[in-house]
Amino acid sequence: NAGVMQNPRHLVRRRGQEARLRCSPVKGHSHVYWYRQLPEEGLKFMVYLQKENIIDESGMPKERFSAEFPKEGPSILRIQQVVRGDSAAYFCASSLGLLNTEAFFGQGTRLTVV
Amino acid sequence: QQQVKQSPQSLIVQKGGISIINCAYENTAFDYFPWYQQFPGKGPALLIAIRPDVSEKKEGRFTISFNKSAKQFSLHIMDSQPGDSATYFCAANGETSGSRLTFGEGTQLTVNP
């Protein structure tokens, strides 16, 4: 009964490098959400995806950030040319997509930009 | 209008006491209000949730009180235990936001033995 699996758990990148964060949803879930959590802050919505579609990316920075959820394989959050301010915990959640159903969260990927 | 405001930022309670965390929202389209519990280094986990057709929901030691007219809801943890020490987030979503959640800023609860 695997939950949401995120990897890597920890990622260190130098400024200017690319970061790729992966998320495998709960089996049977076709809706994925990415949230960012800065230290001592709450979770901020970034993007909502269904298989092969971006439904809502209103919380995602317009530049350097992109997300995908292909027909096969995990969802990917990609951050190009990382900067120190990108250091945060990135959480993925999945759900059945029905209104007001529970979203299950992964353990997160902690990105550190040095 | 999408904000959810949470207080207090931190809370220290003695073992056996009652922990109370409050949240207020602005968007009247919100109709689902979950509380999440997060331990250090872990992802948030759903604790309890309520819909506005009821004013209170209780699950074990955890109770949500909901005041629709005031647009406020709160989490009460009865007989607080050291194992309850964690960060608690209230959240909300509604028909216009699908399953996307708007979170409060979090409350760091410490229960002293």
Side-chain angles (χ1 to χ4, degrees), chain A residues 9 33 35 37 40-45 48 56 58-59 91 95-108 110, chain B residues 9 31-32 36 38-46 51 89 93-106 108:
Chain A
R9 292 291 311 277
Y33 313 82
Y35 293 84
Q37 185 176 35
E40 309 301 323
E41 291 189 14
L43 292 93
K44 304 296 185 188
F45 168 79
Y48 165 26
D56 180 356
S58 60
F91 290 95
S95 77
L96 289 170
L98 302 174
L99 196 62
N100 298 339
T101 55
E102 180 179 355
F104 293 84
F105 282 79
Q107 302 271 45
R110 279 146 187 86
Chain B
Q9 193 172 20
D31 60 3
Y32 175 66
Y36 282 82
Q38 185 180 29
F39 292 104
K42 303 293 185 182
L46 180 66
R51 291 185 172 79
F89 293 96
N93 76 3
E95 188 172 336
T96 57
S97 56
S99 295
R100 160 189 171 173
L101 292 164
T102 298
F103 282 88
E105 294 302 309
Q108 188 166 347

Side-chain angles (χ1 to χ4, degrees), chain B residues 7-30:
Chain B
S7 64
Q9 193 172 20
S10 62
L11 180 62
I12 300 174
V13 173
Q14 291 299 119
K15 179 182 175 181
I18 302 174
S19 304
I20 301 175
I21 304 170
N22 300 299
C23 284
Y25 63 98
E26 298 170 355
N27 188 346
T28 55
F30 285 153

Side-chain angles (χ1 to χ4, degrees), chain B:
Chain B
Q1 196 180 15
Q2 292 294 323
Q3 285 185 320
V4 175
K5 295 193 180 297
Q6 183 172 347
S7 64
Q9 193 172 20
S10 62
L11 180 62
I12 300 174
V13 173
Q14 291 299 119
K15 179 182 175 181
I18 302 174
S19 304
I20 301 175
I21 304 170
N22 300 299
C23 284
Y25 63 98
E26 298 170 355
N27 188 346
T28 55
F30 285 153
D31 60 3
Y32 175 66
F33 303 90
W35 284 88
Y36 282 82
Q37 180 187 57
Q38 185 180 29
F39 292 104
K42 303 293 185 182
L46 180 66
L47 193 62
I48 186 172
I50 196 168
R51 291 185 172 79
D53 53 343
V54 297
S55 60
E56 186 175 283
K57 183 175 181 179
K58 183 176 181 179
E59 290 184 1
R61 296 184 295 109
F62 301 92
T63 299
I64 299 179
S65 297
F66 186 82
N67 186 331
K68 187 173 182 178
S69 61
K71 292 187 286 186
Q72 295 176 347
F73 57 110
S74 60
L75 176 69
H76 296 232
I77 306 174
M78 312 300 287
D79 187 26
S80 299
Q81 300 296 312
D84 296 331
S85 297
T87 301
Y88 293 81
F89 293 96
C90 61
N93 76 3
E95 188 172 336
T96 57
S97 56
S99 295
R100 160 189 171 173
L101 292 164
T102 298
F103 282 88
E105 294 302 309
T107 296
Q108 188 166 347
L109 172 65
T110 302
V111 181
N112 288 328

